[in-house]
Structure formats: structure tokens, C-alpha cells
């Protein structure tokens, strides 16, 4: 299996699918791994693009390091992958926590290799409520997730999958297979990595990074997202990037790569090919 070596020696697993074409790098959500993007990677590769997806450190098949489970290191690991594969003209696509990772990549490494950015139900600009971010969610929300992670993370992942992540708690129509896959991928994440990543996705302030985005940007968000509420995430991010385009999926929740797959694939392909 292919790996790149991060600056501190961590091994970062990645998939590299397709016969060429413009590269698309897919960054996954918490506590998942690159398997969360496999349907999208296959779709893009079959439509003439090079689809690359990696397991964030601590997740999936990458090293479970004790340190580095925060956004700066996630972004630097992504830069190691991009540099190792010498990717240019790439489109960065990030779902949820992955949206934070690709925005922080731009903030730390610029856009010289980037053709476009797609934020899918993404955590920027800042999820946590602070004095200068009153629109955010209270710390008790994330403390509750941390408590669940510490007490019984297997049950936490089942509760997420059966509830707000896919929106199964709204109408109970999300396939068991999707929910099982969430639990399986979650349990492949290291316990410390998953715990620390809760702070990374909730308390990292991406507003300075968004200000540095100078490439075409598409923001996609469901207006019934129970994990990253539309008003906290996509609605505000689009206003922080010059020229960004917002596409709202009416009635959709957080897990758009699964629950709204066909529509998302069509929107991604149209953006990448434009």
C-alpha cells in the first residue's frame, strides 16, 4: 500500500486512482478515513480525473502518532503528500473536518498548486462559540462528544451514525450499510487521535485561512445539517472568500458524500471541469 512520510516520520496512507487527468484531492471527516470518499474517488477517476484520498494521521491506515493531532500538522501532512506526488492544478475537496484541513493547507502553503477549492458541509470558519464568534456552538456540545469518546467510543460512533451524522434520526431512511461503515471506519481511528481531533475541528479558527483563498471556491452545505449547522458553517464561509459560490442542499444533512451522492458528484464534476 502506498504511503508518504511526514516531516516527523509519520506514515500517511493514500489512494491514487485513475489514469491521469487533473488531480482531485479528497479530505475526509472525523473519525473516518479515505474510504469515506471511495465512491467519489471512483466516480471522478471514471470521469477522467486523478482522484487522491489520504488517511489523516491517527486515522485509518496512517500512523497513530501521540503528537500532531491538530490542524497545522494535518495541513503539513497534506503538503507532504502533495509535494511527493508533485501535484499541480489540483482541486482540493474537503468534507467536514477535511474542509478545515484543506483551508488550513491554503493558509500555510498557499495556492500555487491549487486550481480550486470545494467545501462540503465543512467546519470553517469556526465551530466553537467565543466572544468574537457568538454564532458558534457552545463548548458543552464538544465536551459532550469528548466525554462520549472517552467513555465508550464504539457506542458514540453508533449513536452518531444512527442519529445526526446521516440524519437517520429525522426519518429513519438511511441505509444500515452507511451506518455500519461509519462505525467501522471510526473504530480504525486511534483513540487519542479521535479525542484530540474533536478540538481540532471545533476550536480551530479558520477565518485567517479563508482570507487567503484566492482560487475559485464552491461551498456546498445542507440546510438540515445537525453536525455543522448551515448557519455556523457554509453560510458564513461563503461570505469570507471573494467570489465563492454557495450551493445549498435543501433538507439535506451532514453526510452529503453518502446521502446526496449523485447530486454531489454532478456538482463536483461541473466545478472541476469548468
Amino acid at each position: 500500500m502506498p504511503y508518504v512520510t511526514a516531516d516527523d516520520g509519520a506514515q500517511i496512507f493514500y489512494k491514487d486512482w485513475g489514469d491521469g487527468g487533473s488531480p482531485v484531492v479528497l479530505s475526509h471527516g472525523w473519525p473516518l478515513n479515505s474510504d469515506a470518499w471511495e465512491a467519489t474517488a471512483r466516480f471522478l477517476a471514471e470521469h477522467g480525473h486523478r482522484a487522491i484520498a489520504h488517511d489523516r494521521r491517527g486515522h485509518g491506515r496512517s500512523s497513530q502518532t501521540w503528537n500532531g493531532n491538530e490542524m497545522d500538522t494535518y495541513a503539513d501532512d497534506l503538503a507532504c503528500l502533495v509535494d511527493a506526488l508533485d501535484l499541480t492544478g489540483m482541486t482540493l475537496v474537503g468534507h467536514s473536518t477535511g474542509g478545515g484541513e484543506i483551508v488550513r493547507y491554503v493558509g500555510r502553503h498557499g495556492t500555487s498548486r491549487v486550481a480550486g477549492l470545494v467545501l462540503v458541509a465543512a467546519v470553517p470558519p469556526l465551530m466553537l462559540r467565543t466572544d468574537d464568534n457568538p454564532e458558534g456552538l457552545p463548548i458543552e456540545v464538544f465536551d459532550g462528544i469528548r466525554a462520549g469518546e472517552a467513555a465508550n467510543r464504539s457506542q458514540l460512533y453508533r449513536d452518531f451514525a444512527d442519529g445526526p451524522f446521516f440524519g437517520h434520526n429525522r426519518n429513519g431512511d438511511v441505509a444500515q450499510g452507511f451506518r455500519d461503515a461509519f462505525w467501522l471506519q471510526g473504530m480504525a481511528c486511534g483513540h487519542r487521535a479521535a479525542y484530540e481531533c474533536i478540538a481540532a475541528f471545533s476550536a480551530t479558527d479558520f477565518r485567517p485561512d479563508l482570507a487567503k483563498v484566492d482560487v475559485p471556491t464552491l461551498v456546498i452545505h445542507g440546510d438540515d445539517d445537525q453536525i455543522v449547522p448551515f448557519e455556523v458553517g457554509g453560510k458564513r464561509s461563503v461570505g469570507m472568500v471573494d467570489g465563492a459560490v454557495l450551493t445549498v442542499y435543501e433538507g439535506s444533512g451532514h453526510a452529503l458524500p453518502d446521502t446526496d451522492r449523485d447530486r454531489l458528484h454532478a456538482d463536483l464534476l461541473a466545478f472541476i471541469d469548468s
Side-chain angles (χ1 to χ4, degrees):
M1 294 191 291
Y3 289 85
V4 295
T5 302
D7 293 339
D8 64 353
Q11 297 294 296
I12 306 299
F13 171 81
Y14 69 96
K15 304 176 183 181
D16 188 351
W17 291 359
D19 296 324
S22 61
V24 184
V25 178
L26 303 158
S27 182
H28 61 81
W30 173 93
L32 306 175
N33 57 57
S34 59
D35 291 350
W37 276 122
E38 63 181 4
T40 302
R42 177 188 172 196
F43 172 84
L44 293 172
E46 289 178 345
H47 285 77
H49 295 283
R50 181 182 178 185
I52 298 143
H54 66 296
D55 292 358
R56 187 173 303 118
R57 73 168 53 211
H59 298 64
R61 289 138 291 201
S62 292
S63 297
Q64 295 189 9
T65 60
W66 187 252
N67 297 311
N69 300 293
E70 33 71 30
M71 280 293 168
D72 284 354
T73 303
Y74 294 160
D76 293 349
D77 290 347
L78 178 57
C80 286
L81 173 63
V82 168
D83 292 346
L85 300 182
D86 195 21
L87 302 178
T88 58
M90 64 178 175
T91 300
L92 294 173
V93 181
H95 174 234
S96 195
T97 299
E101 181 178 283
I102 64 172
V103 167
R104 180 52 55 93
Y105 170 89
V106 169
R108 287 175 67 82
H109 300 279
T111 55
S112 62
R113 293 178 179 272
V114 182
L117 210 66
V118 184
L119 301 177
V120 182
V123 297
L126 171 57
M127 288 190 72
L128 181 65
R129 181 180 298 168
T130 62
D131 289 344
D132 69 344
N133 188 52
E135 302 92 344
L137 299 173
I139 186 67
E140 288 79 10
V141 171
F142 307 109
D143 284 346
I145 300 173
R146 271 186 281 267
E149 173 71 31
N152 185 344
R153 70 191 190 108
S154 175
Q155 189 60 53
L156 174 71
Y157 301 156
R158 291 198 184 282
D159 291 344
F160 259 63
D162 290 342
F165 188 83
F166 294 102
H168 187 67
N169 55 327
R170 297 293 202 215
N171 48 27
D173 65 348
V174 179
Q176 185 70 50
F178 286 147
R179 291 179 279 145
D180 288 349
F182 181 96
W183 177 86
L184 183 65
Q185 290 178 48
M187 294 306 295
C189 185
H191 182 34
R192 176 177 168 85
Y195 188 89
E196 295 296 313
C197 190
I198 297 166
F201 73 66
S202 64
T204 302
D205 187 351
F206 299 101
R207 290 173 292 186
D209 306 296
L210 288 169
K212 296 179 181 178
V213 176
D214 58 0
V215 296
T217 299
L218 173 63
V219 177
I220 298 174
H221 218 109
D223 64 6
D224 193 31
D225 191 329
Q226 301 173 71
I227 301 295
V228 184
F230 172 60
E231 292 76 12
V232 174
K235 184 177 181 180
R236 292 195 297 150
S237 286
V238 73
M240 297 181 183
V241 178
D242 288 343
V245 173
L246 173 65
T247 297
V248 178
Y249 286 15
E250 297 82 3
S252 293
H254 187 65
L256 302 181
D258 290 318
T259 59
D260 296 68
R261 182 173 293 171
D262 291 343
R263 183 179 180 185
L264 179 63
H265 287 178
D267 286 342
L268 287 177
L269 196 61
F271 177 78
I272 295 165
D273 288 342
S274 65

